[in-house]
Amino acid sequence: MLLRRVLMILVLSALVFPATRSVAKPFDVEEFATLEEFAAAVAERVSGASIVSAGDLHAPSKTVKLAVIAVDIRRSDIVSGLARRLSASGRFNVIDAEKTRTFLKGRPSGSDVIRDLERTFGLDAVVAVRGYPAEGKLLVIARIIFVQDAPHPGIIMGLLGLSPAKASVGRGEAMPDPPISARYFAEADFDGDGKREYLFSDGERLHVYRMEASGWVRVWAESPTRVGGEGRHLHIDVADINANGKPEIFVTRMLKRAVSSVVFEEKDGTYRRIADLPGFVRVLSYPGRGPLLIGQEFQEERFFSGTPKQYSWSTGYVAGDAIPLPKGVGLYGFVFADVGEARPLVVALDSENRLRVYSQETLIWQSRERYGGIDTVLAESTPDAYSSLQRVSIPGRIFATDIDGDGTEEIVVARGGEKTIFGSITKFEIHALQWTGARLEQYLAIREEPGAVLDLRLAPWNGEGIRIDALVRTAGGLLASQGSRLMTYSYHGPQSPAPTGKIE
């Protein structure tokens, strides 16, 4: 089975990057214990006998100028590892990866674009890297393409027994318990003073706090007598949609059997309601366009009615163009993701919390595993006092973000783990997934943490990674009700060694 797959990949590789001369002999698949071993083999092949036969490239004073490019691989550490190993040998001048990514972005694959790359940067050679999952390992193909009509040095095909990612995630740290039993949260600099505030919702009211050395300090709390504080919260988001330098707070709530949304903004030390919008709203990021506010109408019998539309700001929030979505994808629980394809893909949670990937209207992949945190469920009582009727379920958050700086986005989503015999979640996981071109594969995971994810947020971390903050439901006891806590995890980038324990 593996041999058949290897032969197929060789044919595809030859079609994508034809050699300057045909290669008659087959190529063996070698197994490498580490990425360093594979990188060393590539460096030896590039600087070996095949290069010596390539004319002036063998001259002792000649430094070979080359680029290492990712053709179809989502492991940035492999590509960067090859580049570092070749640079460290002193024989090669490897151009900056960002230059090649910028040059190749949006261009079709093929030998012509490689020749254009070589001419543009004055290269002597290009190392093109592809990767494919193969029987629990990673099959990596490194192909060396020279400018001049020299004998092709061959293709190195290596099976690497690597974990899904050489990533480092800081162990989860518990922040001081939230000052209220929170159901949703967000974090932002709401007042523009350069300090981060935390927004908590207990399901009915909003609370803004700041973390000081002494602990939580309350900044503002919504009055329970105000209209904006009545009803049940279904979703909260924050973003600067009106472009005044301060993020607004968008709260979708159910009030008197109707759904509407209210908008708050900080002004002069307090938070004021600045707009009311009909129906449901959420903030969505679109690659290259930043945060968008989209909404959908409410209809009492169906709840979600019509097509989601984008809101723009003029003198107020105005509904505009429809957002085209695949059939079955609702307002919540999906993202647009730039994963290196010709156009962004839609990644969505379905009604059973399985991940689905769409290219425009076409479903191209679905997970077997179930993801998502705790959904927001609206139910109403029935004539049977012992049962209820579920009316609508809003899935937990899902994110698309470039967490490792390789120019493509990963999918970050919670996953419920261990459950009790009654079905309640007692442990959770947080997964980051990469698109391989055919499916989503695990890139890193935070595993088997106690509790269940109520809400999830991502934020930059020290300028070189991200921080994952999770609002987690804590178990109650005989004399205590369920509560919540905040956990924070920092992602350090793909080059650091992975820690031991539950985090991979």
Side-chain angles (χ1 to χ4, degrees), residues 18-72:
T20 52
R21 291 182 181 177
S22 61
V23 182
K25 73 182 188 70
F27 296 93
D28 295 328
V29 179
E30 304 176 59
E31 292 206 33
F32 298 91
T34 65
L35 173 60
E36 179 67 19
E37 289 183 9
F38 179 73
V42 174
E44 182 180 0
R45 183 69 61 87
V46 176
S47 60
S50 296
I51 290 184
V52 172
S53 65
D56 65 348
L57 291 182
H58 74 283
S61 60
K62 174 68 176 181
T63 299
V64 179
K65 187 175 183 180
L66 56 79
V68 181
I69 65 172
V71 177
D72 188 7

Side-chain angles (χ1 to χ4, degrees), residues 347-367:
V347 182
L349 290 163
D350 67 11
S351 60
E352 295 182 335
N353 273 342
R354 290 184 172 88
L355 284 173
R356 291 187 168 195
V357 180
Y358 297 85
S359 178
Q360 295 185 300
E361 295 289 332
T362 304
L363 175 64
I364 58 178
W365 181 77
Q366 177 175 300
S367 70

